[in-house]
Amino acid sequence: MVLRCFRWVTADAGSDGENGGDARPHPGGALTINGTSGTLNLGVGLTNTFTGTWTRTAGTLNGGSSTLNLSRAGAVTSGTGGTFTAGTGTVNYNYAAPQIIAAVAYNNLVFSGGGAKSIATGTSVTGNLSIAPTGSATASVVAGFNMAVGSLTLGGVTQIPGTWGSTTATSAANHNNTYFAATTGYVTVAGGATKLVFTALPGSPTAGTAFSVTVQSQDALGNPANLASATTITLSKATGGGTLSGTLTGSIGSGANSVTIATPVYSKSDTMTLTATASGGVTLTAVTSGNIVFSAGAASKLAFTTQPGGGTGGSAFSTQPAVALEDQYGNTVTGTPQDVTLAIWNNAGPGGTLSGAKTVAVNTSTGVATFSGLSIDKAGTGYTLTATGSTVDTSAGVVVSSAFNITVGAAAKLAFTTQPGGGTVSAAWSQQPVVAVEDAGGNTVTSSSASVTLTIKIGTPACGGPGTLSGTKTLGASSGVATFSGLSINAAGTGY
């Protein structure tokens, strides 16, 4: 670093301004820091004055906690390179004529002396902007620019938070033509902490897994604002169908402005929003987050999402079942292959048989295995089905459907329930046949009175005959059953 056109002394014994030591330049000089590694520290509690040009070429100027007086008319700085670190100090543009302000971030900024101090876009003040504590200086904010300041003092009097400018600055709520030049630019004065803001939210969280959020206290302008007393921050669910649990509170300490709450847990794979509220300290406006989209966790169980709807014997269920692959919280898991097999759990027939495609692959896009064409043959009340996965953990226990009933359907077929017993030529058989009217599942249709006619099957007997069937060959069913009597055949034969 090269310091030119002024005389300076180190503020602490043995330090060297060339190597980053504290320095107090005396009036009458200009400042140039050469080299990207050059650093000048303005020290602790000192007053440093430049009357020449501050050439911003390279290096770093650290404001420390000192006061820097810039006492040059017109453009105080040359160039836009280098770095200015405001620290906790004050920069005072104190020349008695107009000055052009360096567009940097200041801690405290003072306009004293006289003339308009021209403020360009990019200038900000985290601490206090003081206009004309002495002298007649004015602030001339470039047209259309809104400069954020932490607090505002006009003529030594502290002003209220809000927007300030001349009467030309129509966007400002507060006007003062003594301290502000006639431009449309204005300043916005922050107050203390007024609100909460989420500064960090989970990116791609998983249901059932802890996530973290960071909540910050800010002023009305959106600047971080430290709290005067410790304040409890509580998270709650604003929207979403799941349950929010885990650690839901944290504290922003006195003198701090943020807290990270590290272990909330949300149970559902859906879209959720969070609300953060403050209590027990500083009053702050609550904040609700944007949408946070949770995905399902690992597959761990099966669940009937559509229950079997029952039906009639031997016919497809009126409602076919669907089984989802789920995580521990009941969220449907997609993208995981799985075969699901159904079987009868409670056989209410008894003796019923489940027919149809009993094993179906889960659709990995939806996470659901959808069955079709399933039926049970025997009528019964209180059937249930069980679902088993090919690889999913079944430690949660057997997955059983809701109970459903199979009723007797429409007449669909005939069946001998008592076979003819044979006998001698032209004599009534020792065992007369009984024929039932049945539905598709083999259940007797007791409401049927259909006529049942018996004949000798063509091509029989295999040996002897042919004979003629005699007796009452046509009989109306009673309660779905036709019970024959007196039947005989007039010719001997084997295999009628």
Side-chain angles (χ1 to χ4, degrees):
M1 181 189 73
V2 177
L3 301 176
R4 299 187 296 197
C5 302
F6 66 90
R7 181 170 60 88
W8 62 279
V9 297
T10 58
D12 56 316
S15 66
D16 185 348
E18 291 280 353
N19 297 315
D22 293 337
R24 182 171 61 187
H26 289 263
L31 171 65
T32 300
I33 301 176
N34 292 328
T36 57
S37 62
T39 300
L40 176 63
N41 298 319
L42 294 181
V44 177
L46 304 177
T47 298
N48 305 279
T49 300
F50 292 100
T51 58
T53 299
W54 169 17
T55 302
R56 296 174 60 196
T57 303
T60 299
L61 177 62
N62 289 326
S65 61
S66 296
T67 297
L68 173 62
N69 294 321
L70 297 175
S71 303
R72 170 185 169 83
V76 175
T77 62
S78 173
T80 58
T83 300
F84 173 65
T85 303
T88 59
T90 298
V91 178
N92 181 10
Y93 289 83
N94 65 353
Y95 197 69
Q99 293 177 283
I100 299 173
I101 307 307
V104 295
Y106 298 91
N107 179 46
N108 297 319
L109 180 62
V110 178
F111 297 154
S112 59
K117 312 303 182 182
S118 298
I119 300 169
T121 300
T123 308
S124 64
V125 181
T126 57
N128 179 251
L129 170 63
S130 177
I131 303 174
T134 60
S136 59
T138 61
S140 179
V141 185
V142 67
F145 178 47
N146 173 16
M147 181 175 74
V149 303
S151 59
L152 176 66
T153 302
L154 302 179
V157 178
T158 300
Q159 306 301 313
I160 62 172
T163 50
W164 288 83
S166 69
T167 53
T168 305
T170 56
S171 296
N174 304 285
H175 301 108
N176 190 307
N177 291 333
T178 300
Y179 298 98
F180 290 94
T183 72
T184 61
Y186 61 99
V187 300
T188 298
V189 183
T194 61
K195 62 183 179 179
L196 295 176
V197 174
F198 285 105
T199 56
L201 290 168
S204 300
T206 299
T209 301
F211 61 94
S212 69
V213 299
T214 300
V215 181
Q216 186 178 73
S217 54
Q218 295 185 352
D219 62 24
L221 299 178
N223 301 304
N226 293 345
L227 300 185
S229 60
T231 301
T232 299
I233 306 302
T234 302
L235 300 179
S236 61
K237 181 188 71 174
T239 62
T243 300
L244 185 65
S245 61
T247 302
L248 302 179
T249 60
S251 179
I252 299 178
S254 177
N257 59 46
S258 69
V259 60
T260 295
I261 301 176
T263 56
V265 177
Y266 184 63
S267 66
K268 192 172 181 62
S269 60
D270 68 358
T271 299
M272 185 265 282
T273 58
L274 279 175
T275 295
T277 56
S279 63
V282 179
T283 299
L284 300 167
T285 301
V287 61
T288 297
S289 73
N291 289 339
I292 307 171
V293 180
F294 287 79
S295 59
S300 63
K301 62 180 181 177
L302 300 174
F304 283 92
T305 54
T306 301
Q307 298 290 339
T312 58
S315 298
F317 301 153
S318 58
T319 301
Q320 295 290 315
V323 177
L325 186 60
E326 295 182 342
D327 66 11
Q328 62 174 322
Y329 290 100
N331 300 299
T332 301
V333 177
T334 59
T336 300
Q338 189 78 195
D339 290 335
V340 178
T341 299
L342 299 184
I344 294 176
W345 182 252
N346 180 49
N347 199 325
T353 299
L354 179 65
S355 299
K358 292 172 281 189
T359 298
V360 171
V362 167
N363 182 326
T364 55
S365 297
T366 63
V368 176
T370 302
F371 291 82
S372 61
L374 293 178
S375 65
I376 292 177
D377 54 352
K378 299 301 181 183
T381 300
Y383 277 102
T384 56
L385 300 180
T386 183
T388 304
S390 54
T391 62
V392 72
D393 179 14
T394 58
S395 60
V398 176
V399 181
V400 180
S401 74
S402 298
F404 59 96
N405 302 328
I406 299 297
T407 59
V408 177
K413 61 182 180 177
L414 299 174
F416 285 94
T417 56
T418 300
Q419 297 291 334
T424 59
V425 173
S426 298
W429 303 329
S430 59
Q431 181 172 290
Q432 294 291 312
V434 178
V435 178
V437 181
E438 297 181 344
D439 65 8
N443 302 289
T444 300
V445 183
T446 58
S447 61
S448 176
S449 59
S451 293
V452 179
T453 300
L454 298 183
T455 61
I456 296 173
K457 183 179 179 181
I458 298 173
T460 66
C463 179
T468 299
L469 178 64
S470 298
T472 303
K473 296 174 283 188
T474 298
L475 191 65
S478 174
S479 298
V481 177
T483 302
F484 291 85
S485 63
L487 295 178
S488 64
I489 294 177
N490 63 0
T494 301
Y496 276 106

